[in-house]
Structure formats: structure tokens, C-alpha cells
Amino acid sequence: MEQTEKLAIDGGTPVRSGGWTARWPIFDDTERKLVMEVLESGNWGGIFEPGSMYGKLPQMEVKFAELQGAKHAIGMVNGTVAITVALQAAGIKAGDEVIVPPYTFVATASAVLAFGAIPVFVDVEEDTLLIDPEKIEAAITERTRAIVPVHIAGGPANMTRIMEIARKHDLKVIEDAAQAIGAKWDGEFVGTIGDLGTFSLQSSKNLNSGEGGIITTNNYDYWEQTWSLINVGRIPGGKWYQHERIGQNFRLTEFQAALVLGQMTRLEEQLQRREANVKVLDELLSEIDGITILKRDSRVTRHSNHLYMFKLDSELGARIDKDDFIAKVNAEGIFILTGYNSLNLNPAIQNASKELSGRDHVYSCPVSERVCENEALWLTQVTLLEPEEAMHDIAKALKKVVQSYS
Ligand SMILES: *Cc1c(COP(=O)(O)O)cnc(C)c1O
């Protein structure tokens, strides 16, 4: 009987020993050639007049905009700065309130605080772990100016409802699409539905240049503001020492742009490989008593599967220790992660918010808090690039460990 199968952590045979083949990043002569071209050119960085196709950066921006269905794309140092700059480009100011989900990377909130705006947390949906649109209106005050939905794991948030609410209350929408390159909501690419969208090229992300970020927008004014904010307040077509606003140097280098150009040639194939594996995982994991797979709304036209998130059932999650569960699965040769801590409980964020506003900023997000503590588990995008048989081992290991608690 499977119930009596000895766990690897107790000296039993691991479900999988070795056999992992996916590497990250994946590169070959395509990237070598592009990076060498930059090296030999001597043009390693700098500023390019809009419309110039002279450097790798403008080339990459044009290709990225095409790929993501946006009118404009601007590269910059990272995805965190991209959120700050996008908010500023949309006119958000210090002291304004910005609605964010608590189930996300810390940068979503810290990018708001970086220029003195204040994150207000709205809980996530039980079955998607994405911001719950139906809880947004209760969090809106006279200081609220923007919503930052996060397409966590590469799964688009409910942009239809979010845009309705934003229009009704005259709020800007900045999509944090750091994990969602290639994803679409109801036929539209993420990063183009709100006012601006932000992406990350950090080394763990699906499109990787070591570090880097991108802002997309369909609005020329937002594009111009963004360009200026990351180019020390210069304006497109202006003189070299003409600085019209306070901006910083947040430019991406030519080496990074070269890497993005190379990695883009692999993106579609990698998205498809992950999609195929996720289909298998959804089927296998939904058959395991004790595990719940997340819901995919039919309007998620494309999911970019940066992470595969799933949950322990509430009953199981409440009576076992999540770290203990993970240690047992990892001992079976399967790498799973616990994921985020609910950001609304983060003391650094609470303190920074209070310092800025003079008020307490304590938000209750029961779904996010419980899921972080007891239920949510992740596989990474690299695991999703493995051959299909690895997905079967993942399911086998999860089943074995779940059954050990019965
Ligand atoms: C990675 C990430 C960021 C930050 O991007 P960096 O390039 O690491 O600064 C922001 N939001 C989310 C959801 C992320 O996953």
C-alpha cells in the first residue's frame, strides 16, 4: 500500500534521484554573437534618440513592444524601478494611496513607498491568489489614485473588473507584469490593458538579461514621461544638458539589451513547453486528495507560467506544518517552495507607511495570510521546462507525502 511507503526523509527511496535536465538560463551562439557585437562596437551603453535603430536597446524595445502588443516599450534597470517610474509617469505623487495585493514580491509595495506613496492592501481571491476585484472598492479613499494589479505567476488578474472600477473612481492602473511576459487577458496582452505595464528581466524571470525592466504603454504622453524620468529629466529631442524634470539615470545597458534580443528568440518555444507541462500537472494534481489546483478563468487567454502555484487543502494545511511538508517533498528529489509571506503583515512596510502618513497602515487580508502560512506551494518555471515524465514524478512525490499525513 502507498500509505506505508517509507518517505525518503525517513530513509526510504526517493521518488526521483537526479534526472533533472533543465538549465537556466538557456543560451548558445545566438547570445554569444549578440554580446560580442556590443563588446566590439565599443557602444556599451548610453542614450539613444527615440526612433534610432542604431543600438541594441532601441531594437530590443521595438521587438518587445511587438511581442507584447504595445505601442511603446522602454527598457530600464529593473522591474522594481519600472513600477516606481510607471506610477510617477501616470502622475501619482507622494502621499497618494495605491491599491496593491498582499500576495506578491515585496517590490510591488516597496516601489510605491520609494517615492512616498502608500500601498493599501486588498486581499486576493481564494481560487486564483490574484487581487480580488470585489474587495477593491471598500479600500478606496479620497487619497486613492491608482491600482497595481499583479499578474502573479504569469496569470492575469481580472482586468475587466479592475478597469471598470478604475474608470468609475478615476484611478490609474499600472499592471505589475514582472512574471507575465506573453500573458493575455481576454485576448489582450497584459501590460497594455491598464495605463502602463511593468516587466522584469531579472535572472529568474522568463525573459532574462541578468537584471533589467521594461515599461509598456499605448499612451504617447506616458511614454514621454517615462523616457524622461529614466533619462535624468531630459526630453526626447531636447539638448544634452536640458533637464525638464527630476529624473534619474535608470538606463539599461547595451549588453543587457543584446541578451534580451537573444532570449526573445526562445521565448515562444519555452512558453509552449511550460504550457504542456502545466496541463499534465493540473490533471495529475487534481486527482490527489489533499491538494487543490488553482482556477484558470476562461478569459486567461494565455498564462505565462512563471510559477506553478497550487495549494494544500485547507483541512490538511491547517493541521500540518508547511515547512515540514516541503522538507519531505524535497527529500523525494522534488524541489518545491513555500513562496511569499503576506506583505500586509510586513513590519518594514507598515512602519514606512506610518512614517509617511502619520497614520497606522494595518490591513487584514485573511485569504492571503492563511494561504501563505498553510497552503500555497510553488514549482518554478525552470522545473516546468523539464520533460513530461518529471511532472509524473512530481505528482507521485506529492501524493506520497500527502498520504503520509493520513
Ligand atoms: C521580480 C518581480 C518584481 C521586481 O523586478 P526586479 O527586476 O527584480 O526588480 C516586481 N514584481 C514582481 C511580481 C516580481 O516577481
Side-chain angles (χ1 to χ4, degrees):
M1 272 305 288
E2 272 163 319
Q3 273 91 333
T4 60
E5 207 183 327
K6 200 170 180 186
L7 295 179
I9 206 165
D10 299 325
T13 310
V15 167
R16 195 174 176 89
S17 44
W20 299 101
T21 53
R23 295 285 172 270
W24 192 257
I26 298 166
F27 63 93
D28 64 13
D29 284 346
T30 305
E31 282 79 3
R32 282 191 197 96
K33 180 168 169 289
L34 286 159
V35 170
M36 281 305 286
E37 280 170 14
V38 173
L39 183 77
E40 300 291 350
S41 76
N43 296 310
W44 296 352
I47 190 164
F48 299 89
E49 277 307 313
S52 153
M53 289 301 276
Y54 170 67
K56 301 286 190 226
L57 179 60
Q59 287 172 36
M60 184 281 278
E61 289 171 340
V62 166
K63 283 217 165 127
F64 191 88
E66 259 170 41
L67 173 100
Q68 203 61 35
K71 281 204 184 123
H72 312 282
I74 309 187
M76 62 201 67
V77 287
N78 61 54
T80 307
V81 158
I83 300 168
T84 299
V85 168
L87 285 161
Q88 290 180 305
I92 312 308
K93 304 266 188 268
D96 290 348
E97 289 181 356
V98 177
I99 290 173
V100 301
Y103 194 76
T104 177
F105 185 56
V106 67
T108 310
S110 55
V112 173
L113 288 160
F115 67 107
I118 295 163
V120 170
F121 292 98
V122 166
D123 209 354
V124 293
E125 297 173 325
E126 180 75 57
D127 51 1
T128 65
L129 306 187
L130 296 159
I131 192 165
D132 187 340
E134 303 318 322
K135 292 184 182 151
I136 289 176
E137 284 192 294
I140 295 174
T141 72
E142 71 277 9
R143 289 176 296 271
T144 311
R145 294 287 176 273
I147 308 171
V148 181
V150 182
H151 306 307
I152 209 70
N158 183 345
M159 292 305 293
T160 308
R161 278 297 288 136
I162 291 166
M163 294 310 292
E164 273 170 17
I165 295 162
R167 273 187 215 108
K168 179 171 160 200
H169 296 273
D170 195 21
L171 306 176
K172 304 292 185 199
V173 175
I174 313 299
E175 298 173 66
D176 180 349
Q179 303 184 0
I181 288 171
K184 281 180 168 179
W185 172 261
D186 207 8
E188 281 186 83
F189 279 107
V190 299
T192 65
I193 306 167
D195 294 279
L196 300 103
T198 67
F199 296 83
S200 169
L201 307 169
Q202 184 269 341
S203 56
S204 71
K205 300 287 157 68
N206 291 17
L207 188 69
N208 159 26
S209 59
E211 300 289 350
I214 295 183
I215 285 179
T216 52
T217 183
N218 288 335
N219 178 310
Y220 181 84
D221 293 336
Y222 292 148
W223 170 82
E224 197 173 37
Q225 290 280 338
T226 299
W227 191 92
S228 184
L229 285 163
I230 69 156
N231 280 302
V232 287
R234 291 189 176 106
I235 54 166
K239 297 209 173 73
W240 188 248
Y241 290 120
Q242 183 184 349
H243 307 280
E244 300 272 327
R245 61 175 64 74
I246 302 306
Q248 307 207 52
N249 173 5
F250 285 142
R251 292 188 297 270
L252 197 71
T253 69
E254 284 290 281
F255 289 104
Q256 290 163 294
L259 282 172
V260 180
L261 283 169
Q263 293 285 294
M264 273 177 178
T265 64
R266 309 171 192 288
L267 185 70
E268 179 56 34
E269 188 242 324
Q270 290 169 352
L271 283 170
Q272 288 181 21
R273 255 161 82 189
R274 294 191 197 99
E275 270 164 359
N277 276 332
V278 161
K279 228 173 138 202
V280 174
L281 279 173
D282 272 352
E283 251 166 55
L284 294 173
L285 268 53
S286 60
E287 285 162 13
I288 302 174
D289 264 350
I291 285 182
T292 306
I293 64 166
L294 296 188
K295 185 187 104 183
R296 298 218 171 182
D297 191 294
S298 59
R299 289 165 292 180
V300 175
T301 328
R302 189 161 215 191
H303 194 299
S304 63
N305 297 307
H306 175 65
L307 301 163
Y308 183 84
M309 305 191 306
F310 59 100
K311 298 195 297 181
L312 297 176
D313 286 355
S314 290
E315 182 277 320
L316 180 64
R319 72 181 160 86
I320 71 170
D321 178 66
K322 197 163 83 157
D323 291 333
D324 178 67
F325 182 90
I326 291 167
K328 286 176 177 165
V329 175
N330 287 350
E332 299 295 334
I334 305 297
F335 182 57
I336 61 169
L337 295 153
T338 191
Y340 301 125
N341 299 313
S342 199
L343 284 187
N344 59 306
L345 301 179
N346 181 303
I349 293 171
Q350 290 176 350
N351 293 339
S353 302
K354 185 169 184 174
E355 240 170 69
L356 286 165
S357 74
R359 289 175 286 113
D360 278 328
H361 287 274
V362 178
Y363 302 96
S364 166
C365 301
V367 176
S368 175
E369 290 165 29
R370 168 173 45 77
V371 159
C372 288
E373 187 65 26
N374 296 339
E375 297 170 20
L377 295 165
W378 295 358
L379 295 159
T380 73
Q381 57 101 348
V382 185
T383 303
L384 298 176
L385 292 174
E386 293 290 337
E388 187 189 317
E389 47 88 21
M391 305 304 118
H392 292 267
D393 280 350
I394 291 166
K396 225 181 274 172
L398 288 170
K399 189 169 180 182
K400 183 176 169 187
V401 174
V402 167
Q403 288 182 340
S404 77
Y405 287 99
S406 62

